[in-house]
Amino acid sequence: MTDLHLVASNSAAGALRFATHKLALPGKVFCLMDDLSLGPLSDGRARVDFWRSLMAPGYSDQPLPAEWNDAFAPWHELRRRIADEKPQRLLIWTSGSGADYVFLRMACHWLIAGDVALWRVPVPPKDGFHALAVHTPEALANFAPTAIAVSPVQVAAMAQEYDDIAMRPELLRESDDQGRLLFKPIAAHDDLLLSCCPDDWTLAARVVGQVMGTSDPRNPLGDMFIASRLQHLIAEGLVEADGPRRTLRDYRVRRGITQPATA
């Protein structure tokens, strides 16, 4: 095998696997299955606890598997695969999102030992959206030849930058239009969520979907994160809920009758 393709999301992995199986893109795909725009980065177990907190009642009745107790386990598995399969290159697929900004630097942190050559595949936006999943497998296969080698000096610098990022207390990370990483409080988008919550009873899933469609296309918000913030706003009395909160399709929400006064 010549190449191992590294991606962060399941949706991106699915498109790339199609490209490797059907479109003659060389290599195999490894998926981290993580969203690095959110949560702590210095401790794998604390990161799992964070994701479990997001999956509290109100989003899904299917919790994280009990055996999943270390969010860094995929990185250990990746290093084992590299040692066993000895690919010539590891291609790290990234968009312009804050999540992928962290993803590239986290890969350098975990793979700085130099057991494989690191290459970066820069994926351009489509219709303003910065994500691999918005592209077809055919488009992704065409991006592969644009891969750029990451030099040992660059790997070391980005690994150090990841260490600095992981030390930050903020739990939300986004990229601006200049490619700079911004650090934000977890409640940064609560006002957007409130603005999408109508005065009339509306299915929670519809409100979450509207927030997803309204959020910054460079840094799209995931449904699990939005659902967790919705639960927070319900607990604060800023949003009312009607019905059992097992999944997003089980209950309705509306803006709270009493809203804080505006200046």
Side-chain angles (χ1 to χ4, degrees):
M1 181 179 66
T2 57
D3 291 334
L4 184 60
H5 302 274
L6 179 63
V7 294
S9 72
N10 271 328
S11 54
L16 272 180
R17 287 189 179 108
F18 183 92
T20 59
H21 294 159
K22 303 294 184 180
L23 303 176
L25 178 66
K28 294 182 180 179
V29 179
F30 186 95
C31 181
L32 185 64
M33 294 187 294
D34 204 348
D35 177 358
L36 297 168
S37 67
L38 289 167
L41 293 170
S42 60
D43 185 293
R45 294 181 184 275
R47 188 161 178 77
V48 168
D49 290 341
F50 172 82
W51 284 108
R52 290 193 194 281
S53 73
L54 294 194
M55 294 190 72
Y59 170 74
S60 171
D61 56 4
Q62 299 295 320
L64 289 174
E67 65 272 13
W68 196 59
N69 56 19
D70 183 358
F72 295 162
W75 291 106
H76 294 293
E77 174 60 24
L78 175 61
R79 293 203 294 199
R80 284 192 292 269
R81 280 194 59 177
I82 290 171
D84 292 343
E85 300 177 10
K86 296 178 174 53
Q88 291 182 359
R89 302 189 302 174
L90 181 78
L91 273 62
I92 307 165
W93 290 72
T94 61
S95 70
S97 70
D100 282 347
Y101 184 103
V102 178
F103 175 48
L104 174 61
R105 286 148 183 84
M106 192 174 189
C108 291
H109 165 86
W110 280 93
L111 303 171
I112 194 172
D115 295 329
V116 64
L118 302 185
W119 289 62
R120 175 175 65 90
V121 183
V123 176
K126 179 182 179 183
D127 300 327
F129 289 92
H130 292 254
L132 273 66
V134 300
H135 293 280
T136 64
E138 290 80 6
L140 292 177
N142 289 332
F143 296 145
T146 70
I148 303 166
V150 185
S151 72
V153 171
Q154 291 172 319
V155 171
M158 285 193 279
Q160 179 59 58
E161 186 180 359
Y162 173 77
D163 291 340
D164 295 339
I165 291 169
M167 292 296 292
R168 298 279 304 218
E170 299 90 348
L171 295 177
L172 177 62
R173 296 167 287 272
E174 298 181 350
S175 181
D176 67 10
D177 57 5
Q178 301 299 313
R180 297 170 298 197
L181 192 65
L182 308 177
F183 300 90
K184 298 184 177 182
I186 201 73
H189 299 293
D190 284 2
D191 286 345
L192 172 60
L193 176 50
L194 278 172
S195 72
C196 292
C197 192
D199 295 328
D200 299 325
W201 289 114
T202 304
L203 195 66
R206 184 179 296 276
V207 173
V208 169
Q210 184 174 350
V211 177
M212 292 176 69
T214 310
S215 63
D216 177 10
R218 180 179 290 274
N219 301 283
L221 301 176
D223 57 348
M224 187 190 304
F225 172 64
I226 300 168
S228 74
R229 298 312 303 166
L230 181 60
Q231 297 308 306
H232 172 78
L233 295 177
I234 292 170
E236 291 291 311
L238 299 176
V239 172
E240 294 181 286
D242 174 41
R245 283 182 275 157
R246 292 186 299 268
T247 74
L248 289 173
R249 296 193 174 277
D250 288 332
Y251 67 104
R252 301 178 301 166
V253 294
R254 67 179 180 185
R255 202 174 310 186
I257 295 174
T258 302
Q259 290 291 316
T262 57

